[in-house]
Amino acid sequence: MKALGLLIVLARCFCSCDAQFPRVCTRDDLLASKECCPIPDGFPEPCGGPGRGHCADTPDLNVEDPAWKNINAYKVDDRRHWPTVFFNRTCECEGNFSGYDCSKCKWGYRGENCDTKQEPAERKNIKGLGLKKIKQFRDYFDKAKNTNSDYVYAMEFKDNIRGSEDFGNVSVYDLFVAAHYYASRATMPPSITGICDDGKDCYLDFAHEGVSFPTWHRAFLLEFERAIQEANNDPDWTLPYWDWGAAKDNQCDICTNEYVGRNDENRKLDEDFVFGKWKIICAIATKLPWEKATARNHTKPCNVTRHMGTLRRSPGTQDPNNLGESMSHLPLPTEVDFALRFSEYDTPPYTRKSNCSFRNLLEGYADTETGMTRDTE
């Protein structure tokens, strides 16, 4: 069963935050000192100085879950105490300033001094943009895909990082691909966790299969939109949406070269289309046995410098043989209406096994006729 949530265009189509660090903070001496307090351009002091920001101890706001306290994989997972496992002193911005060096403005503000209130932006349907705006959309994405981010990506566990050589360059676009991958890849078998009661793998997932699914992805998309704006020097640009509920024949009617590129029966994009030339990263989780796949029994960040083929896409055609006929099309209005009837946002055990949970229907793990989980194995 497919997810029923609002699909901001391309978030699903491309299937892409946690292992990224400002490039200026990955010098060997700063990694050793665990301090990331850069001096922004045009300012004499770290974090900009009084009125803008200052270097401060970074609070660890993560709360330990007693159920996981004896699990080896959890105890050594870098995300468990983020970002203090790498840096315990970072910039604390003042007023309306933000960013790793306090050189940016908080959400809702702009201007040199971040004192101008920003007007709400209008998000538009991609089907109504017109040819010029659609081309701009593609051009903006392509520039972000081919522009190096001022962040680099840790390609090793913290305990295994030797120095700056273990951080890889990544594009503005691919930074978000890797962040999404790292937030949702932490598989732990029951032999390690000891708390799974179904004989299957347990998951430590910060973005999926739990109560944070819509909140995490909304923040993710807002940060992604800002990154596209910055890469193209256009702070007023907004990420369009795609109303899949109105899609012709309940199939991907923007999967054409007029919009985001057509794909063949093997899900491969047209190689003459701009997105068809893109190389992908972080595409496949390892198939190796658990003990061989990780050095310390936790998920290793992907190698962002390793390209793994070209884009593939198959919305509405996932796996009807295993998961039912509803996988052969995008969500029907009747399925959306069914999900909206549920007053309970989430239910125990707050995973993909939750029954009568709006969140689990939204995420795609519950049957859209009964509300019961499909994960019965």
Side-chain angles (χ1 to χ4, degrees):
M1 139 77 189
K2 64 282 172 189
L4 293 179
L6 173 65
L7 302 188
I8 300 297
V9 67
L10 294 189
R12 272 266 187 219
C13 296
F14 288 170
C15 292
S16 30
C17 269
D18 293 307
Q20 72 270 20
F21 301 92
R23 185 186 306 275
V24 295
C25 289
T26 53
R27 298 195 327 246
D28 292 347
D29 59 327
L30 295 178
L31 289 169
S33 70
K34 298 188 70 173
E35 181 171 292
C36 177
C37 294
I39 300 175
D41 291 342
F43 291 85
E45 298 182 50
C47 313
R52 180 171 287 264
H54 59 278
C55 194
D57 292 341
T58 305
D60 185 350
L61 301 179
N62 295 280
V63 178
E64 293 283 2
D65 187 337
W68 296 76
K69 65 181 181 180
N70 295 319
I71 299 170
N72 291 333
Y74 182 64
K75 287 190 289 187
V76 296
D77 195 300
D78 290 345
R79 294 164 297 179
R80 175 170 152 261
H81 291 287
W82 195 270
T84 54
V85 67
F86 280 89
F87 295 103
N88 53 29
R89 282 183 61 79
T90 54
C91 285
E92 184 175 308
C93 301
E94 303 169 16
N96 295 329
F97 298 106
S98 70
Y100 64 80
D101 61 358
C102 302
S103 63
K104 296 182 180 181
C105 298
K106 283 184 179 178
W107 287 105
Y109 292 90
R110 62 172 57 183
E112 184 177 349
N113 296 312
C114 297
D115 54 2
T116 301
K117 186 71 174 175
Q118 187 172 345
E119 293 296 321
E122 179 184 1
R123 198 174 301 289
K124 298 181 179 180
N125 190 328
I126 192 172
K127 298 294 290 290
L129 287 184
L131 295 178
K132 184 176 179 180
K133 288 294 185 180
I134 292 172
K135 183 179 185 304
Q136 180 191 58
F137 161 83
R138 293 196 297 261
D139 289 345
Y140 276 19
F141 268 59
D142 195 48
K143 185 172 182 180
K145 174 69 173 177
N146 292 285
T147 299
N148 262 351
S149 172
D150 61 352
Y151 287 85
V152 291
Y153 198 82
M155 298 186 294
E156 271 290 353
F157 309 130
K158 173 62 171 67
D159 290 350
N160 296 340
I161 285 180
R162 298 161 296 176
S164 56
E165 67 266 32
D166 286 322
F167 292 84
N169 289 325
V170 63
S171 74
V172 171
Y173 183 95
D174 282 344
L175 178 69
F176 286 83
V177 175
H180 190 272
Y181 171 91
Y182 194 45
S184 60
R185 290 293 186 274
T187 309
M188 294 177 289
S191 60
I192 291 178
T193 64
I195 62 172
C196 301
D197 57 6
D198 58 1
K200 300 294 181 181
D201 287 353
C202 295
Y203 296 89
L204 174 60
D205 191 326
F206 294 81
H208 305 89
E209 303 180 35
V211 295
S212 63
F213 171 72
T215 305
W216 191 97
H217 283 85
R218 181 163 179 77
F220 178 85
L221 286 171
L222 287 171
E223 289 292 342
F224 175 71
E225 179 178 66
R226 173 177 276 192
I228 299 292
Q229 292 170 343
E230 292 175 350
N232 291 277
N233 194 28
D234 187 352
D236 295 314
W237 180 84
T238 55
L239 188 67
Y241 69 89
W242 169 39
D243 183 4
W244 42 256
K248 184 179 179 181
D249 299 324
N250 295 103
Q251 294 296 331
C252 182
D253 57 3
I254 61 169
C255 294
T256 68
N257 284 356
E258 179 183 358
Y259 293 101
V260 299
R262 66 171 178 265
N263 51 278
D264 60 23
E265 62 277 6
N266 295 316
R267 304 185 295 123
K268 186 176 181 180
L269 267 68
D270 183 348
E271 61 184 16
D272 293 325
F273 188 74
V274 59
F275 298 151
K277 300 179 176 65
W278 284 14
K279 302 299 183 183
I280 61 175
I281 62 169
C282 306
I284 304 172
T286 180
K287 302 295 185 183
L288 293 173
W290 175 259
E291 65 276 8
K292 295 182 180 179
T294 60
R296 287 288 305 281
N297 288 336
H298 63 308
T299 300
K300 182 176 180 177
C302 74
N303 183 345
V304 295
T305 66
R306 179 189 175 198
H307 293 159
M308 306 174 71
T310 54
L311 287 172
R312 293 179 182 271
R313 181 199 298 131
S314 58
T317 57
Q318 292 299 308
D319 192 356
N321 292 329
N322 291 330
L323 294 174
E325 188 275 335
S326 67
M327 291 297 288
S328 65
H329 55 74
L330 294 169
L332 302 173
T334 53
E335 294 177 299
V336 176
D337 289 342
F338 178 80
L340 292 174
R341 295 176 196 169
F342 285 80
S343 59
E344 291 290 333
Y345 170 73
D346 209 355
T347 60
Y350 308 108
T351 66
R352 64 191 297 168
K353 293 182 178 296
S354 294
N355 292 316
C356 302
S357 158
F358 171 75
R359 189 272 313 159
N360 212 27
L361 278 161
L362 181 72
E363 196 165 357
Y365 295 115
D367 189 287
T368 51
E369 292 184 354
T370 66
M372 305 300 286
T373 177
R374 291 181 181 272
D375 191 357
T376 57
E377 296 183 358

